[in-house]
Amino acid sequence: ASAEFALAAGVVPQPGVPSSVPRPTTVNDTFLFGSGTKPYTASGVMALRDQGLLSLDDALEVHVDPVLAKLKPGTTLRGLFGEAAAHITVGHTVRMQSGVQDFDVPTFDNLLLRANETYRVHSPVEFVEYASTQKPSLICAPGTCVSYSSNNFVLAGFVLLAHANVTDWWDLDLPSLFPAQGQLFFSGSHFFQRENLQNLLTVPGHTGGGWAKTPPVLIWNQSSTILGWTCGNMVTTALDVAKFMWGLLGPHSDVLPASTVEEMKHFVPLNKGWAAGSIQYGTGLMIESMAYTPGRPPTLPDWGTYIGHGGDTYGFLSEQGIVSGLNASLSIVANQDTDGGIVQQEAFCQSIVVAAKVLLGKTLSFPCRSRRREGPPTRSPATAEQVWIV
């Protein structure tokens, strides 16, 4: 037997109309999922591999240099990241093993929110170029470390573009790269190219503070190109994300062949930079845990672990994946990024604990954070949406 349900909480004010009456959030509302896009991009690369169009062992420059030359004549992978970039493979990008620096740093994050930048179209080349200005441009020799960098997934987007038979980067149609059966799991999801956010986003986000120290900004009518293209450009509902995760990682392997998915599930702990030792990374997939033990990376099928991907983008936080022990896919998203624990440490953690108790009679003890209620809210209430497929 199987079942699915969705829950929405909170209210949505009408942006730009202070006197408007906020409406209740619904399960059909769309949110930004940030790095929750990465499993989709990685799956697209694997779909091309399955079609014989590339090998994960191919030199990355073979696929991306023609794209870079078209987008900005004279640009090459080695020109950006040095001669050692010749050793980066396609597989290194989707496994976070290329060694390329990230563009997701406070200076660049803040630049993209400036009034003269946030409404104009930004080419994905700009993101890669900015990352290449970090010193050193490669933090390790390709293939010798596992270091989280969203830049990898812009480069993976160039790989997709090389085989997409389109003229411009904004014409990339990710679902079309998949087999017909897999395309069914994209029906409610859209991947921004150069539209303005409000064209498809129904819930505005609130950014401000956080690790990037961004100013308070309503995320609503900016250019969608500030999201970083194929590393974080998905807009959809939590239900659609949960369905995709179930189709990709569930028992039937509907999105990609089972053998391909098993290959994607070869995990290695992040060992350099952000989250080193606390997350394992596969091919566009993470293993995370509600009960991290220092010195012991999360391991399936321990209770509290899940395989999927988190998302943190301007104004939105999300977590999604298949939860160990529950035979369920869960996606939760909130429209604020200031309180970094509201989704994973509160909503996601509490959902696992409650589900285990209700469905299986199992009592779990995780360090979940309780919803804090001290003092009045300082701005519009955060909106959250959660979904199960069981």
Side-chain angles (χ1 to χ4, degrees), residues 339-359:
D339 179 357
I342 190 173
V343 173
Q344 186 185 50
Q345 297 169 24
E346 290 183 19
F348 210 90
C349 188
Q350 295 283 6
S351 294
I352 293 174
V353 169
V354 171
K357 184 67 174 179
V358 172
L359 297 176

Side-chain angles (χ1 to χ4, degrees), residues 86-221:
H87 302 292
I88 300 175
T89 68
V90 172
H92 286 155
T93 63
V94 289
R95 294 172 179 153
M96 297 291 184
Q97 296 176 9
S98 71
V100 295
Q101 287 273 16
D102 208 347
F103 52 77
D104 190 7
V105 295
T107 50
F108 194 60
D109 288 345
N110 279 274
L111 180 148
L112 292 174
L113 289 181
R114 293 178 187 169
N116 63 335
E117 295 287 348
T118 200
Y119 302 106
R120 75 174 184 86
V121 173
H122 293 271
S123 162
V125 176
E126 293 179 48
F127 291 77
V128 176
E129 284 183 320
Y130 192 89
S132 73
T133 66
Q134 307 301 303
K135 302 299 181 185
S137 56
L138 294 179
I139 63 172
C140 68
T144 65
C145 69
V146 188
S147 179
Y148 193 93
S149 170
S150 289
N151 189 23
N152 281 300
F153 280 77
V154 178
L155 294 171
F158 292 148
V159 174
L160 299 179
L161 194 60
H163 301 279
N165 296 317
V166 296
T167 303
D168 297 299
W169 62 264
W170 56 80
D171 292 324
L172 178 64
D173 181 6
L174 177 59
S176 70
L177 304 179
F178 286 77
Q181 173 67 20
Q183 292 180 28
L184 298 176
F185 290 84
F186 290 82
S187 59
S189 300
H190 182 83
F191 300 88
F192 278 122
Q193 301 299 337
R194 58 175 184 172
E195 309 94 323
N196 283 349
L197 292 175
Q198 76 269 29
N199 288 13
L200 294 162
L201 179 66
T202 65
V203 175
H206 300 271
T207 193
W211 81 277
K213 302 296 189 293
T214 55
V217 176
L218 185 70
I219 303 301
W220 171 246
N221 62 347

Side-chain angles (χ1 to χ4, degrees), residues 356-379:
K357 184 67 174 179
V358 172
L359 297 176
L360 303 174
K362 186 174 182 64
T363 300
L364 300 175
S365 179
F366 295 143
C368 301
R369 205 176 75 177
S370 298
R371 181 83 287 255
R372 295 175 296 176
R373 297 184 182 278
E374 68 275 12
T378 57
R379 59 185 177 191

Side-chain angles (χ1 to χ4, degrees), residues 11 64 114 121 156 207 215 227 251 255 270 285 288 310 319 359 370:
V11 294
V64 305
R114 293 178 187 169
V121 173
T207 193
L227 302 177
V255 175
L270 293 173
L285 297 169
E288 298 183 81
E319 292 289 336
L359 297 176
S370 298

